Amino acid sequence: QSGARLETHNPASGALLGTIPAGAAADVDRAVVAARAAFESAAWRDMTGAKRARLLWKIADLIEANLDELCELETLDQGKPLWVGKYAEVPGAIEQFRYFAGAATKIEGTTIPTSIDYQPPGKKIFAYTVKEPLGVVGAIVPWNSPLVLTAMKIAPALAAGCTMVLKPAEDTSLTALRLAELIAEAGVPPGVFNVVTGLGEAAGAALAAHTGVDKATFTGSTEVGKLMLDAAKGNLKRLTLELGGKSPAIVMPDADLELAIPGVANAIFFNAGQVCVAGSRLYVHGSIFERVIEGVANYARGIRLGHGLDPQTQMGPVVSAKQAERIAGYVESGRVAGAEVRVGGGRGGPCGTFIEPTVLTRVRPDMKVVREEIFGPVVVATPFDDAEEIVTLANDTHYGLAASVWTESLSAAHRLAAQIRAGTVWINCHSMFDATLPIGGMKQSGWGRESGQQAVENYLETKTICAVI
Ligand code: NAD
């Protein structure tokens, strides 16, 4: 409403792509009022699950029909190589809508035979539960994988019958705005889905604190996740938090190194390390440490950095000069603290946003580079000697988002999977995402899970009805 706008830039070149509205509290308020009215309207409230399912399926079809445009927008806005959007993230977004289209017709309560025995003579107790949509949802997402992370919230929320206000990340709002057009084109009633662009501390904070929002769902840093918790207090809104990580990738002495070396390299270098579950702490058994580290370093040397639209590009820039500065600061802090830069460590490009894939060795558990989430293509590597030691090292973090274990031993794999405190443990793979697989964190990596059947429950309340009949 103020008319103020924010510039959005191509992180590869620094070129101005366009401007987006700098939304603030007044805009959030209007969007929440629209979402509330839509929630209470007969057009949405009385719509059957089957009809909501068809709408979600239609959104998926429209994303698919506009896949090339969405991928190009994401590359220009975020920097990622075109193939990342084309083969991983946009298909991932489509699958979210198709998966939760199926959920919309399967939202059911239960009938409950109670133990109450003080009902009037000749009467019976009839008790059951129904699942009701929670209401207006405020969704806030980060910039690393904008479209798919947004779909992970919209699809189950609409399947449940909620209405929404989305606040995309200020650096990457373009696909969210295009998606809003596609959602309208699919026939979703006006007011059911709203987008307010703007800065986190303005539009984001206003949405988080708004007492007309029944549920906030946030993906982003642990630091802002804690602010979300404070902001939720006013009306005790429900909260799902998908936060940061410092996930271990563990290579056991019997690992298949043909699989493990490119696997652990991709675990950190995919999407320039801007992945919440990135395998940013690499632990390798001492007997194969040098071989694996040299293999990962070689892999890193072979990665072609470039503009995301160039088909030869394997790694694009990071999202902004500010983020690049932050990553470079971490590498420098590691160097100063005594870490060895085995490969990478440099930074370049027209606006300094290209970060070389970097491997740091000789790190200690107390170093900042080992403890904090860098969110860039930087891995810290440590040797270990036995299975007990590796469990302690892997769990020595306040995060608990994900981990991977690389071994040919069935028992070692499942024993470690049980002992690691993380929301997901991959065995002989890393970053395997699917709409069917719950994802989310233990410890300070968050509250709740997205994807998978239970995600629709994030947007439902259980009502108990108990009658004497
Ligand atoms: P961020 O926390 O800085 O920002 C995330 C979103 O919150 C943005 O839209 C931002 O505008 C908004 N925001 C900022 N300040 C706010 C405030 N005071 N109130 C309300 N909203 C506010 O995170 P980021 O730097 O954009 O993204 C990177 C982080 O996201 C990393 O920590 C990464 O691990 C995490 N992440 C987690 C998952 C997961 O599933 N667990 C997935 C992707 C990214």
Side-chain angles (χ1 to χ4, degrees), residues 140-145 149 152 167-170 198-208 218-225 227-228 231 241-245 274-277 323 373 375 399 401 433 439-441 445 450:
I140 300 178
V141 293
W143 45 258
N144 56 317
S145 298
L149 295 175
M152 282 164 75
K167 208 301 280 177
E170 45 271 46
L199 293 174
E201 54 270 33
L207 184 59
F218 173 81
T219 302
S221 60
T222 295
E223 192 190 346
V224 178
L227 297 178
M228 294 294 299
L241 299 172
E242 294 285 345
L243 308 177
Q274 303 162 112
V275 180
C276 53
V277 297
Q323 191 61 15
E373 184 182 41
F375 221 58
Y399 291 116
L401 193 52
F433 286 109
I439 183 101
S445 287
E450 295 192 304

Side-chain angles (χ1 to χ4, degrees), residues 226-239:
K226 290 179 183 175
L227 297 178
M228 294 294 299
L229 187 54
D230 289 337
K233 278 189 202 151
N235 65 331
L236 282 181
K237 61 174 67 68
R238 278 65 178 141
L239 204 49

Side-chain angles (χ1 to χ4, degrees), residues 1-77:
Q1 292 192 33
S2 71
R5 299 186 74 86
L6 300 171
E7 290 189 345
T8 187
H9 296 94
N10 178 343
S13 60
L16 180 68
L17 291 170
T19 65
I20 54 169
D27 306 281
V28 166
D29 196 48
R30 253 178 88 186
V32 172
V33 167
R36 174 66 57 195
F39 182 68
E40 282 161 8
S41 72
W44 186 245
R45 198 190 51 223
D46 298 340
M47 188 182 282
T48 61
K51 285 194 177 135
R52 286 201 307 277
R54 262 176 254 145
L55 282 179
L56 288 172
W57 199 273
K58 184 82 197 289
I59 297 169
D61 287 346
L62 286 170
I63 298 176
E64 199 161 46
N66 292 278
L67 185 134
D68 288 339
E69 184 199 354
L70 288 163
C71 291
E72 199 173 316
L73 269 181
E74 203 86 297
T75 290
L76 289 171
D77 208 14

